């Protein structure tokens, strides 16, 4: 499905003139960019509503391109997923996150970090082995965010790999819940402890009639399955208040913090502890 929509995007780009060529150029530059150190990680906190504290952070990759400036992950992750580049990019991310978490620990901050894992990687045995090797003895406290659709291609294999990750202490979160083809059949089988409600349902929570119903029933469903719920895309105090009443466990979004570089995250966490 992802490959098909990507192909559609490329066809659309051709129609719009020249942009597809541009994307091909980006795709070629990606492996070099990783080696040249043009990739950086930003971190976005998740606030635990009842505990009123930051319970974890999510790592989001940024590409500081020498001539194009900052390229958004939405523009290069889909390209990377079509090649082996996603493997190198994700292994780089895991290494960087482990290093950053050590730096955080040296500043007295102990905080799990969640990494986005593309669906194609869940059936990639070599990736799973390398990722486990990096993480198993590192002492890092990590989470993986995966979408439900990522297990559809080969559910048995993907679920087995998720169980391996969960077995070495990685918290599994289901990302973008409700945005893709949701399947309750898979939801039940995944060793997931967190469910992230897609921002599609959250950004208009207080102006829409239906979104509050969808969000509330999703929270109840997740709790019935003994998962904690994260609402992403929380931009207003009104949304936060409503989510709090609905029993949502964690919130993430511009209201709490935008994704920020490590030094800014440390300053933010420091300020949270003080105040
Ligand atoms: P995602 O995992 O769903 O990440 C959330 C996206 O929503 C991020 O966009 C974040 O900056 C944005 N966001 C956060 N809070 C708000 C808010 O309050 N309002 C709005 N409108 N947006 C908000 P970003 O950083 O551009 O990342 C886009 C997507 O790229 C991510 O979606 C994720 O699927 C993918 N991605 C990012 N980093 C990685 C990575 O290291 N590996 C993989 N495989 N994918 C990544
Ligand atoms: Ca995510
Ligand atoms: Ca998401
Ligand atoms: Ca997304």
């Amino acid at each position: 499905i992802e490959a098909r929509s990507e192909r559609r995007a490329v066809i659309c780009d051709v129609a719009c003139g020249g942009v597809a060529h541009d994307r091909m150029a980006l795709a070629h530059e990606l492996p070099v960019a990783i080696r040249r150190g043009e990739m950086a990680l930003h971190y976005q906190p998740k606030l635990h509503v009842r505990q009123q504290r930051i319970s974890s952070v999510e790592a989001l990759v940024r590409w500081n391109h020498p001539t194009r400036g900052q390229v958004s992950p939405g523009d290069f992750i889909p390209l990377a997923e079509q090649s082996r580049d996603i493997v190198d990019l994700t292994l780089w991310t895991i290494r960087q996150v482990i290093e950053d978490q050590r730096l955080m620990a040296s500043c007295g901050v102990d905080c799990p970090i969640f990494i986005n894992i593309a669906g194609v990687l869940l059936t990639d045995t070599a990736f799973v082995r390398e990722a486990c090797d990096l993480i198993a003895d590192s002492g890092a406290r990590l989470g993986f965010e995966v979408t439900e659709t990522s297990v559809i291609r080969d559910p048995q294999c993907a679920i087995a790999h998720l169980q391996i990750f969960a077995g070495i202490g990685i918290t599994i979160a289901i990302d973008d819940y409700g945005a893709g083809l949701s399947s309750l059949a898979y939801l039940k089988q995944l060793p997931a402890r967190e469910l992230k409600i897609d921002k599609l349902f959250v950004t208009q929570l207080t102006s829409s009639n239906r979104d509050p119903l969808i969000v509330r029933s999703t929270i109840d469903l997740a709790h019935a399955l003994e998962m904690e719920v994260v609402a992403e895309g929380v931009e207003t105090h009104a949304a936060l208040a409503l989510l709090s009443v609905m029993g949502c466990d964690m919130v993430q979004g511009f209201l709490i913090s935008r994704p920020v570089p490590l030094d800014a995250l440390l300053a933010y966490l420091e300020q949270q502890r003080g105040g």
Side-chain angles (χ1 to χ4, degrees):
I1 292 158
E2 270 168 30
R4 212 179 301 146
S5 66
E6 181 59 26
R7 210 171 306 136
R8 253 205 310 275
V10 170
I11 291 166
C12 167
D13 284 349
V14 172
C16 302
V19 188
H21 181 263
D22 219 48
R23 291 164 64 103
M24 300 300 271
L26 263 188
H28 281 294
E29 289 175 63
L30 190 59
V32 185
I34 299 171
R35 285 197 295 276
R36 277 197 197 137
E38 291 170 18
M39 298 296 167
L41 293 179
H42 281 193
Y43 293 101
Q44 188 178 33
K46 297 181 196 170
L47 173 75
H48 198 286
V49 180
R50 265 166 295 127
Q51 299 171 358
Q52 282 296 304
R53 63 174 191 99
I54 302 303
S55 49
S56 62
V57 298
E58 174 180 7
L60 293 155
V61 72
R62 299 287 178 260
W63 183 354
N64 298 309
H65 193 280
T67 58
R68 295 167 199 255
Q70 208 173 84
V71 186
S72 127
D75 289 331
F76 64 89
I77 296 286
L79 299 171
E81 283 180 30
Q82 287 175 33
S83 64
R84 299 285 300 162
D85 293 341
I86 193 65
V87 175
D88 296 335
L89 183 61
T90 307
L91 292 172
W92 172 83
T93 303
I94 292 171
R95 283 190 199 95
Q96 189 63 48
V97 159
I98 292 172
E99 200 180 308
D100 286 355
Q101 198 171 53
R102 285 199 181 123
L103 208 92
M104 288 164 73
S106 73
C107 298
V109 173
D110 175 27
C111 184
I113 303 180
F114 282 73
I115 298 170
N116 290 285
I117 301 293
V120 287
L121 297 176
L122 293 184
T123 47
D124 186 327
T125 310
F127 166 79
V128 173
R129 195 177 311 124
E130 274 200 69
C132 285
D133 283 349
L134 284 174
I135 295 162
D137 300 321
S138 72
R141 291 175 64 201
L142 303 184
F144 281 177
E145 298 193 359
V146 302
T147 64
E148 260 180 308
T149 40
S150 57
V151 306
I152 282 174
R153 257 188 342 164
D154 186 350
Q156 259 195 324
C157 176
I159 291 169
H161 285 154
L162 284 173
Q163 274 158 354
I164 292 175
F165 289 136
I168 63 165
I170 298 168
T171 304
I172 307 298
I174 298 173
D175 205 358
D176 298 349
Y177 185 77
L181 300 167
S182 294
S183 163
L184 294 174
Y186 295 130
L187 191 60
K188 207 178 62 173
Q189 291 180 54
L190 300 179
R193 301 211 328 243
E194 271 183 30
L195 188 84
K196 298 187 76 177
I197 302 178
D198 195 84
K199 54 179 179 286
L200 192 70
F201 304 102
V202 179
T203 45
Q204 284 166 27
L205 192 61
T206 50
S207 58
S208 139
N209 289 328
R210 285 196 169 171
D211 290 358
L213 299 173
I214 296 171
V215 168
R216 160 157 260 153
S217 60
T218 306
I219 292 171
D220 292 345
L221 171 71
H223 285 166
L225 293 169
E226 294 178 329
M227 285 191 251
E228 286 201 295
V229 186
V230 185
E232 53 176 42
V234 177
E235 296 178 349
T236 63
H237 286 287
L240 173 57
L242 186 53
L243 287 160
S244 173
V245 169
M246 289 176 172
C248 183
D249 304 285
M250 285 169 270
V251 290
Q252 193 181 21
F254 295 164
L255 178 70
I256 320 307
S257 167
R258 289 185 176 261
V260 292
L262 182 65
D263 53 353
L265 175 76
L266 284 168
Y268 177 89
L269 293 175
E270 188 66 33
Q271 179 209 324
Q272 295 281 308
R273 274 199 301 188

